């Protein structure tokens, strides 16, 4: 059995994910606002439509909270034998990948992730069903360390 | 421009032109549809359709002359194409299987198609070639793959075979046949209700699949040869399939309900080959179509080594799985009861239908939940994982642990509350019919199993990880 502790994601990852929530909410509010301004010029809008902004705000609050819950479940570790990733709230998954079965490791970083110095690291196996195991929003330094340690095997 | 084969390049059999014509059938159909007769044609003494026919035939012949193959010291190469040229090169050391497929017409004309497959590469299909050339290719390339048999004349002891009576039994116990009967009966009922006698006719086509599955196994036998499992089937056109034993990812034991009731089971293997041709796929993986129930080890042991685990060794899943199955079934019954209640109101039968559905549903769900728990089981040793599941379509999988690619412990919300979890194992095996899944273990047992599997797999380093 391994005794190495599980690593949580960095707090920056949580900030990034919440920023994404805000950006998405902002876009929805923008579209909604445009609709509420423009549509009355052509036709009357039903009265319940004025509740939509409140619904969006409520949904944003829930998403903000949920992002935190989900974030706290993410964890990973690299032991002498295994790469382990834990994730999921409603459906909780623990992936165990034997290091000798790792075919290749890829990292990707979107523009927002780069701003935060984060990236997503994916470990590929020859498995026919799972194919790959991803850790989203890892610190770039951590990802480099993982890559280096995997390269040493 | 010349396309004469040089430096060992050989052409295929001239009859290949007709195969090329088959591939150009779309051009002929297009010509008929467009109806060139309608188009004013400058040379009015020649029928436009004749021109099209000559052009198509000419193109087929040209394609034939542009197609050539050769075997060099290290590679098998196939080049083809008039406008778009392609060159397929397969290293001879990577050759995994050589299949010669001779159809009914081919047998009369003395030609055959040779399919050469390698792991992770597209098959090279050489066809048609003459039967002698096919035999030569097979011998040369099989030596590469280290699978040539010195004493080919001596028929090896079969691992399994199936006689016509058993084959009928196999066909009748296919799950797809039961589905077919259900579909047809359903269609007949609907036809009677709406008074349309022709409605059930199209559903008869569903019979294609079970018949196809069964007919493909006429004359089936499988045998071991050196380090490979080979199988062949067919009366008029023989199909052959083979796989190196060390490429077997999983051995599956299938027990469809009827077959199980009559005391039989089916043993198949799952391999990682991604380039199996549809032609050999029809029998690929089949090892023993019909075996006496519970005797899978007699077939599995020669394939993956002595498993040493038996069904008596299976550890039960947590009893809490009964509760989980009951809740899931209960939700379904609740939906059905609601439907029955609405239907009862509509036809003025009151709440009787809902009551009947609720009682029957409760009994069925209760029986199902207990039966499911009794079926679920898993056993693990240092080298093998055996998992059984499925109330109706029961299946048992035997996985050599060194074939494990990754392991996932999975808990849904309800499983989390009950403290149970599934363990799913992934191998490089493709085209398997089911997942390798140990269902509803106590969460600490699930974690122990997953750790054991992943760590045991990590200790065995395979040359290519597969």
């Amino acid at each position: 059995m391994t005794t190495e502790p599980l690593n949580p994601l960095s707090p920056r990852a949580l900030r990034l994910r919440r920023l994404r929530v805000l950006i998405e909410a902002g876009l929805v509010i923008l579209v909604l606002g445009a609709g509420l301004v423009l549509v009355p010029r052509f036709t009357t809008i039903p009265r319940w439509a004025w509740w939509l902004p409140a619904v969006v705000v409520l949904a944003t609050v829930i998403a903000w909270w949920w992002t935190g819950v989900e974030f706290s479940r993410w964890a990973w570790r690299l032991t002498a034998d295994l790469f382990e990733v834990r994730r999921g709230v409603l459906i909780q998954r623990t992936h165990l990948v034997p290091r000798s079965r790792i075919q290749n490791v890829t990292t990707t970083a979107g523009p927002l992730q780069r701003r935060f110095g984060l990236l997503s690291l994916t470990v590929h196996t020859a498995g026919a069903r799972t194919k790959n195991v991803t850790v989203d929003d890892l610190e770039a330094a951590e990802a480099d360390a993982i890559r280096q340690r995997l390269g040493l095997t | 421009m010349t396309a004469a084969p040089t430096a060992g390049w050989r052409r295929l059999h001239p009859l290949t032109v007709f195969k090329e014509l088959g591939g150009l059938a779309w051009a002929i159909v297009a010509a008929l549809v467009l109806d060139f007769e309608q188009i004013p044609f400058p040379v009015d003494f020649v029928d436009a359709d004749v021109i099209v026919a000559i052009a198509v035939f000419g193109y087929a012949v040209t394609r034939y002359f542009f197609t050539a193959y050769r075997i060099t010291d290290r590679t098998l190469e196939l080049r083809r194409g008039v406008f778009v040229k392609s060159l397929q090169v397969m290293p001879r050391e990577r050759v995994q299987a050589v299949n010669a497929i001779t159809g009914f017409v081919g047998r009369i004309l003395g030609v055959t198609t040779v399919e050469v497959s390698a792991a992770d590469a597209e098959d090279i299909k050489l066809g048609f070639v003459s039967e002698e050339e096919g035999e030569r290719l097979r011998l040369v390339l099989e030596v590469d793959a280290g699978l040539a048999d010195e004493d080919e004349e001596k028929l090896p002891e079969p691992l399994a075979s199936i006689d016509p009576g058993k084959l009928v039994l196999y066909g009748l116990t296919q799950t797809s046949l039961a589905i077919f009967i259900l579909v047809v009966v359903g269609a007949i009922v609907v036809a009677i209700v709406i008074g349309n006698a022709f409605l059930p006719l199209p559903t008869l086509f569903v019979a294609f699949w079970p018949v196809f599955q069964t007919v493909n196994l006429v004359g089936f036998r499988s045998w071991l040869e050196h380090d490979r499992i080979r199988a062949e089937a067919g009366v008029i056109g023989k199909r052959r399939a083979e796989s190196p034993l060390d490429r077997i990812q999983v051995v599956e034991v299938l027990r469809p309900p009827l077959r199980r009731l009559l005391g039989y089971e089916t043993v198949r293997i799952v391999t990682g080959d991604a380039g199996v041709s549809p032609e050999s796929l029809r029998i690929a993986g089949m090892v023993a179509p019909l075996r006496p129930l519970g005797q899978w080890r007699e077939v599995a042991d020669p394939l993956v080594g002595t498993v040493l685990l038996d069904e008596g060794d299976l550890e039960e899943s947590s009893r809490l799985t009964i509760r989980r199955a009951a809740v899931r079934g209960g939700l379904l019954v609740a939906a059905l009861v609601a439907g029955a209640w609405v239907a009862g109101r509509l036809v003025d039968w009151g709440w009787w239908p809902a009551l009947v559905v609720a009682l029957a549903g409760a009994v069925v769900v209760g029986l199902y939940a207990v039966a499911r728990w009794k079926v679920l089981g898993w056993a693990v040793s240092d080298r093998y994982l055996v998992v059984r599941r499925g109330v109706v379509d029961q299946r048992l999988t035997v996985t050599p642990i060194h074939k494990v690619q990754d392991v996932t412990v999975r808990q849904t919300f309800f499983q989390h509350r009950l403290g149970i979890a599934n363990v799913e194992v992934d191998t490089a095996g493709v085209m398997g019919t089911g997942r390798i899944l140990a269902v509803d273990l106590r969460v600490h047992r699930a974690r122990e199993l997953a750790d054991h599997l992943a760590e045991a797999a990590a200790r065995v380093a395979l040359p290519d990880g597969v």
Side-chain angles (χ1 to χ4, degrees):
Chain A
M1 273 299 287
T2 50
T3 47
E4 264 181 68
L6 281 160
N7 307 293
L9 295 182
S10 85
R12 270 190 286 167
L14 179 60
R15 264 185 278 150
L16 168 66
R17 289 178 187 194
R18 288 195 159 148
L19 179 64
R20 279 201 201 113
V21 169
L22 289 185
I23 291 174
E24 278 157 24
L27 286 175
V28 172
I29 284 176
L30 219 64
V31 171
L32 197 63
L36 289 179
V37 171
L38 292 176
V39 172
R41 299 190 177 187
F42 305 105
T43 172
T44 53
I45 49 174
R47 286 181 59 171
W48 54 259
W50 295 102
W51 285 98
L52 287 178
V55 172
V56 173
V57 170
L58 184 67
T60 308
V61 171
I62 292 172
W64 179 277
W65 164 76
W66 181 255
T67 306
V69 175
E70 213 235 342
F71 170 82
S72 64
R73 271 289 303 171
W74 275 89
W76 62 274
R77 76 175 147 201
L78 184 62
T79 69
D81 286 338
L82 307 173
F83 184 56
E84 177 176 344
V85 177
R86 186 174 296 189
R87 59 185 291 189
V89 180
L90 288 181
I91 295 177
Q92 306 193 343
R93 291 188 186 85
T94 305
H95 297 288
L96 299 173
V97 183
R99 281 173 70 166
S100 58
R101 295 293 178 278
I102 293 175
Q103 301 275 343
N104 60 57
V105 181
T106 53
T107 51
T108 54
L112 265 182
Q113 281 180 314
R114 282 204 295 275
R115 276 270 159 132
F116 280 77
L118 302 172
L119 40 76
S120 298
L121 178 133
T122 305
V123 164
H124 300 263
T125 69
R129 286 181 185 274
T130 316
K131 291 266 186 225
N132 52 53
V133 174
T134 301
V135 190
D136 282 328
D137 305 328
L138 262 181
E139 296 246 2
E142 283 176 330
D144 274 342
I146 292 175
R147 272 197 308 206
Q148 226 154 43
R149 281 181 63 191
L150 287 177
L152 290 177
T153 50
Chain B
M1 202 161 60
T2 171
T6 52
W9 286 100
R10 282 169 181 250
R11 288 212 182 97
L12 299 172
H13 195 276
L15 285 172
T16 309
V17 169
F18 292 97
K19 212 177 197 180
E20 299 280 7
L21 273 179
L24 291 168
W26 61 270
I28 297 164
V29 172
L32 290 175
V33 171
L34 291 174
D35 198 358
F36 283 107
E37 303 285 356
Q38 304 295 322
I39 302 169
F41 202 68
V43 199
D44 57 357
F45 52 86
V46 191
D47 194 329
D49 284 343
V50 174
I51 303 267
V52 171
I54 290 172
V56 168
F57 188 75
Y59 182 62
V61 172
T62 316
R63 272 185 70 89
Y64 165 73
F65 278 108
F66 274 77
T67 305
Y69 65 94
R70 70 170 172 186
I71 300 180
T72 68
D73 291 346
R74 293 178 46 238
T75 58
L76 166 67
E77 300 173 14
L78 172 68
R79 72 167 187 220
R80 51 190 308 150
V82 180
F83 301 109
V84 180
K85 293 191 178 286
S86 76
L87 175 66
Q88 255 180 295
V89 181
M90 183 183 285
R92 283 170 66 174
E93 62 184 28
R94 299 287 300 275
V95 170
Q96 290 242 342
V98 186
N99 296 320
I101 296 146
T102 314
F104 180 59
V105 179
R107 184 168 279 200
I108 295 171
L109 299 174
V111 291
T112 183
T113 300
V114 176
E115 281 185 3
V116 187
S117 52
D120 252 16
E122 202 184 331
D123 287 357
I124 287 191
K125 284 183 193 155
L126 303 173
F128 298 126
V129 293
S130 65
E131 271 176 352
E132 306 83 70
E133 174 67 2
E135 195 55 32
R136 185 188 77 92
L137 284 168
R138 227 168 63 84
L139 285 175
V140 171
L141 295 169
E142 282 191 350
V143 169
D144 292 342
L147 43 130
D149 203 355
E150 289 88 30
D151 45 353
E152 191 94 50
E153 296 84 54
K154 190 174 131 271
L155 268 181
E157 190 71 16
L159 192 60
S161 60
I162 188 161
D163 58 53
K166 287 276 177 63
L167 188 65
V168 171
L169 190 63
Y170 175 86
L172 290 177
T173 55
Q174 282 288 78
T175 307
S176 52
L177 183 74
I179 293 170
F180 161 68
I181 292 170
L182 278 179
V183 167
V184 169
V185 168
I188 289 174
V189 169
V190 173
I192 291 170
V193 169
I194 67 170
N196 181 341
F198 294 103
L199 187 78
L201 282 180
T203 61
L204 292 178
F205 285 104
V206 187
F208 170 76
W209 186 238
V211 172
F212 180 77
Q213 281 178 321
T214 307
V215 169
N216 272 325
L217 290 180
V218 174
F220 178 90
R221 66 190 192 95
S222 61
W223 67 98
L224 290 168
E225 211 173 287
H226 297 292
D227 57 344
R228 328 209 129 210
I229 166 93
R230 306 187 85 159
E232 69 172 27
V235 175
I236 299 169
K238 281 260 183 244
R239 288 195 180 80
R240 288 178 148 217
E242 57 176 85
S243 173
L245 293 182
D246 63 3
R247 289 295 146 116
I248 295 175
Q249 307 283 333
V250 181
V251 176
E252 284 185 324
V253 182
L254 310 178
R255 294 166 177 164
L258 260 178
R259 200 168 297 162
R260 192 165 76 237
L261 273 179
L262 295 174
Y264 291 99
E265 65 192 11
T266 298
V267 182
R268 292 174 48 93
I269 52 170
V270 181
T271 63
D273 191 344
V276 181
S277 71
E279 196 60 38
S280 46
L281 183 64
R282 294 186 193 169
I283 56 165
M286 181 58 76
V287 175
L290 214 57
R291 297 272 313 165
L293 193 67
Q295 297 189 17
W296 51 272
R297 275 193 49 191
E298 286 172 22
V299 179
D301 283 358
L303 295 174
V304 290
T306 313
V307 177
L308 282 178
L309 296 169
D310 223 325
E311 287 187 81
D313 303 323
L314 292 183
E315 184 171 329
E316 287 169 351
S317 289
S318 162
R319 277 196 86 101
L320 290 167
T321 191
I322 300 176
R323 209 196 293 180
R324 181 170 168 236
V327 168
R328 282 203 301 192
L331 290 173
L332 181 68
V333 169
L336 288 176
V337 167
W341 186 76
V342 170
R345 296 290 297 254
L346 286 178
V347 295
D348 268 345
W349 286 3
W351 42 268
W352 279 104
L355 184 69
V356 171
V357 169
L359 289 177
V363 172
V364 170
V365 165
L367 290 176
Y368 167 82
V370 174
R372 181 168 169 278
W373 172 67
K374 284 189 173 156
V375 168
L376 291 176
W378 58 279
V380 71
S381 68
D382 281 346
R383 296 182 55 208
Y384 300 98
L385 169 71
V386 178
V387 177
R388 186 178 65 189
R389 66 194 186 99
V391 175
V392 180
D393 206 7
Q394 191 183 113
R395 62 189 63 212
L396 182 127
T397 52
V398 182
T399 315
I401 290 181
H402 65 276
K403 292 297 181 188
V404 169
Q405 292 287 342
D406 52 75
V407 187
T408 304
V409 181
R410 191 173 178 278
Q411 274 185 301
T412 62
F413 183 66
F414 195 68
Q415 279 178 311
H416 187 64
R417 286 194 48 175
L418 292 176
I420 53 182
N422 291 357
V423 177
E424 178 159 5
V425 173
D426 199 14
T427 68
V430 286
M431 293 173 305
T433 42
R435 297 185 293 172
I436 307 163
L437 192 63
V439 180
D440 290 345
L441 278 59
R442 278 276 180 194
V443 76
H444 67 96
R445 291 296 282 155
R447 184 61 212 223
E448 278 166 21
L449 175 62
D451 278 334
H452 172 76
L453 291 172
E455 278 162 17
R459 279 196 294 273
V460 191
L462 298 171
D464 48 7
V466 183

